[in-house]
Amino acid sequence: MAVVPNNSNLPRHVAIIMDGNGRWAQRRHLPRQAGHVAGVNAVREVVRQACDIGLENLTLFAFSSENWKRPAREVGALMGLFRLYFRNDLDEIVQRGARVRIIGNRGRVEEDIRQMIEDAERRTLANTGMNLTFAFDYGGQEEIAAAARELARAAADGRLDPETITPELLSSRLFTSGLPEPDLVIRTSGERRLSNFLLWQSAYAELMFVDTLWPDFGREEFLDALDKFSRRERRFGALPESVA
Ligand code: IPE
Ligand code: IPE
Ligand code: MG
């Protein structure tokens, strides 16, 4: 059984690509939506556990900017579950002291969801516990393009000298501004790709791909990922201390 790594070995920021709901349902001869329902239970457990172990930042990929390409019925079901999750779980999140942020394009979601997002962020704004971020209608390329557009506009207006554009400045224009970059990105379901998730921010993240389908991802597996992370050697382009 994996044990909780001590705080110094805990990643500051874990980001998870929650994949495999559809296949989980298919294997049970259930409609894909049933997989998404089961996926919400896994979200609840992982959020609780992350709070329990004192993780500082947890980011969950819930809906990509490309997921609109799915059949309207599935998109509708996912939107419905998002609503349900916030209606059912926000009180517990508030009570656990977590601070909610939703990153993504708010212009495309329905008005009631946009208001729900704003309400969740407002209600948890003063919380000082874990930063709990949901990537919802999120795409990394779109995010970077929007930041570039904003800087270009400022430069065109004469408010910004292009020479002063640094990675830090661009970072500060991303949805994730203020959050540390993810140290660990986990993707479930055996797929080995980022699917447009936190492209800029994951420059030096440790990537971990696990075969478990998201609805089956539980506490034990989360701990196991943290344990494996604590034994990885991160170099950031430099040499390890033992060699330098
Ligand atoms: C992840 O599960 C949830 C979302 C993308 C919203 P999928 O729905 O992608 O499940 P698979 O990949 O088809 O099994
Ligand atoms: C990525 O999963 C998006 C989420 C987990 C929310 P997808 O299932 O949409 O990714 P692809 O299409 O397999 O790359
Ligand atoms: Mg998928």
Side-chain angles (χ1 to χ4, degrees), residues 84-134:
L84 208 61
Y85 174 76
F86 275 95
R87 226 171 275 148
N88 291 337
D89 286 53
L90 188 59
D91 283 346
E92 178 176 336
I93 291 169
V94 171
Q95 178 242 320
R96 283 179 176 270
R99 183 170 171 176
V100 174
R101 181 194 300 211
I102 283 82
I103 57 173
N105 182 336
R106 294 179 190 196
R108 290 186 292 233
V109 296
E110 286 188 27
E111 175 60 18
D112 71 301
I113 292 191
R114 201 176 54 73
Q115 286 193 2
M116 215 175 58
I117 287 172
E118 285 171 10
D119 177 58
E121 289 181 336
R122 203 171 28 240
R123 272 185 72 192
T124 60
L125 190 63
N127 285 355
T128 54
M130 183 175 77
N131 288 310
L132 175 59
T133 304
F134 292 91

Side-chain angles (χ1 to χ4, degrees), residues 18-24 32 36 62-63 67 70 74 78:
M18 311 184 287
D19 196 17
N21 294 351
R23 277 163 283 171
W24 184 93
R32 291 180 57 85
H36 297 313
F63 190 89
N67 287 148
R70 295 191 180 193
E74 180 164 346
L78 287 165

Side-chain angles (χ1 to χ4, degrees), residues 200-212:
W200 172 282
Q201 298 88 336
S202 297
Y204 267 101
E206 293 294 323
L207 306 180
M208 222 173 266
F209 300 100
V210 300
D211 289 335
T212 311

